[in-house]
């Protein structure tokens, strides 16, 4: 449940990462349906992000609560032994290497493996931090406060969240059906 902590931001980011699902569809009608669902999802996510950003901007107390939660999570991640700043620097270094174009195939594979290793360390520490009861409680409270404030900011919030959940379910069903059919 805590993985929904910054639900609205996560939904907006997730909308941008669903692009691989559309490619998996084999028949053009199924692909068009999936693409349309993704277009709807992205549009809703963008609208929610705009409402969220405006809400945070207009509610200094909520912005403070959000910052406190982020600091709480950051501290818990570091308590898990993961150095966030060093990890970010390492990821930037990896990105520069990949963008340079000066890598052989073997070097590129090694750099990609380094990327995966760093990502796994970060995810493990983050998941351990987010599983802590006090962080879960804070995250749930922040989520409730944020959604409530967003509803006051824009009455479309409830409708957009419901529609995104519905579309996400359809996309997941579509992806599941495609994997059950071996991608056909």
């Amino acid at each position: 449940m805590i993985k929904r902590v910054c639900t609205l931001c996560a939904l907006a980011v997730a909308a941008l990462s669903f692009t691989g699902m559309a490619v998996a569809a084999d028949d053009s009608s199924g692909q068009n349906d999936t693409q349309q669902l993704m277009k709807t999802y992205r549009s809703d996510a963008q609208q929610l992000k705009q409402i969220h950003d405006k809400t945070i901007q207009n509610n200094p107390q909520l912005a403070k609560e959000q910052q406190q939660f982020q600091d709480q999570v950051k501290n818990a991640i570091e308590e898990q032994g993961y150095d966030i700043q060093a990890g970010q620097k390492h990821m930037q270094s990896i990105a520069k290497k990949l963008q340079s174009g000066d890598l052989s195939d073997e070097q590129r594979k090694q750099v990609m493996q380094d990327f995966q290793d760093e990502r796994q360390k970060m995810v493990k520490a983050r998941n351990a931090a987010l599983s802590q009861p006090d962080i879960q409680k804070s995250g749930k409270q922040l989520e409730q406060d944020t959604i409530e404030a967003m509803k006051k900011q824009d009455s479309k919030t409830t409708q957009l969240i419901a529609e995104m959940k519905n579309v996400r379910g359809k996309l997941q069903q579509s992806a599941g059906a495609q994997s059950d059919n071996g991608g056909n």
Side-chain angles (χ1 to χ4, degrees):
M1 194 62 145
I2 190 64
K3 291 185 182 175
R4 293 180 46 213
V5 166
C6 291
T7 302
L8 306 162
C9 292
L11 289 173
V13 171
L16 301 175
S17 66
F18 266 124
T19 55
M21 287 184 174
V23 177
D26 224 18
D27 64 274
S28 62
S29 125
Q31 188 173 18
N32 288 339
D33 291 346
T34 301
Q35 288 174 345
Q36 185 58 44
L37 285 171
M38 291 191 40
K39 185 176 178 182
T40 300
Y41 192 88
R42 278 192 220 100
S43 174
D44 290 348
Q46 184 61 35
Q47 289 179 61
L48 273 177
K49 184 176 180 342
Q50 289 170 354
I51 295 168
H52 175 267
D53 293 349
K54 196 176 212 180
T55 301
I56 296 297
Q57 184 179 24
N58 293 335
N59 292 281
Q61 184 56 39
L62 185 60
K64 183 179 177 183
E65 183 181 346
Q66 186 177 39
Q67 185 60 51
Q68 289 172 335
F69 178 73
Q70 290 170 350
D71 292 344
Q72 183 183 17
V73 171
K74 180 181 175 185
N75 291 335
I77 289 172
E78 290 177 351
E79 287 171 9
Q80 296 300 316
Y82 184 78
D83 184 337
I84 295 172
Q85 284 186 328
Q88 287 174 337
K89 286 180 183 177
H90 188 220
M91 296 297 271
Q92 289 171 351
S93 170
I94 291 170
K96 284 180 184 177
K97 286 179 186 177
L98 289 172
Q99 291 171 352
S100 74
D102 296 336
L103 301 175
S104 68
D105 286 344
E106 191 58 39
Q107 290 170 323
R108 180 173 287 284
K109 286 179 186 176
Q110 183 57 49
V111 170
M112 291 301 293
Q113 184 60 50
D114 289 348
F115 176 85
Q116 288 296 340
D117 291 347
E118 187 66 38
R119 186 173 182 282
Q120 285 177 342
K121 289 178 196 173
M122 185 273 300
V123 167
K124 183 179 178 183
R126 185 197 67 204
N127 288 345
L130 292 176
S131 69
Q132 295 176 7
D134 59 326
I135 291 180
Q136 288 181 354
K137 182 179 177 184
S138 296
K140 188 166 184 65
Q141 186 63 52
L142 174 61
E143 180 180 351
Q144 290 170 351
D145 293 348
T146 301
I147 290 173
E148 194 58 41
M150 287 176 66
K151 288 176 183 177
K152 289 178 185 174
Q153 181 73 38
D154 192 318
S155 61
K156 293 190 311 185
T157 299
T158 302
Q159 175 190 346
L160 288 168
I161 291 172
E163 186 172 325
M164 284 187 72
K165 286 179 181 178
N166 182 35
V167 170
R168 185 175 54 214
K170 289 178 181 178
L171 284 168
Q172 289 171 340
Q173 283 178 339
S174 174
Q178 290 166 10
S179 67
D180 289 345
N181 293 330
N184 292 335

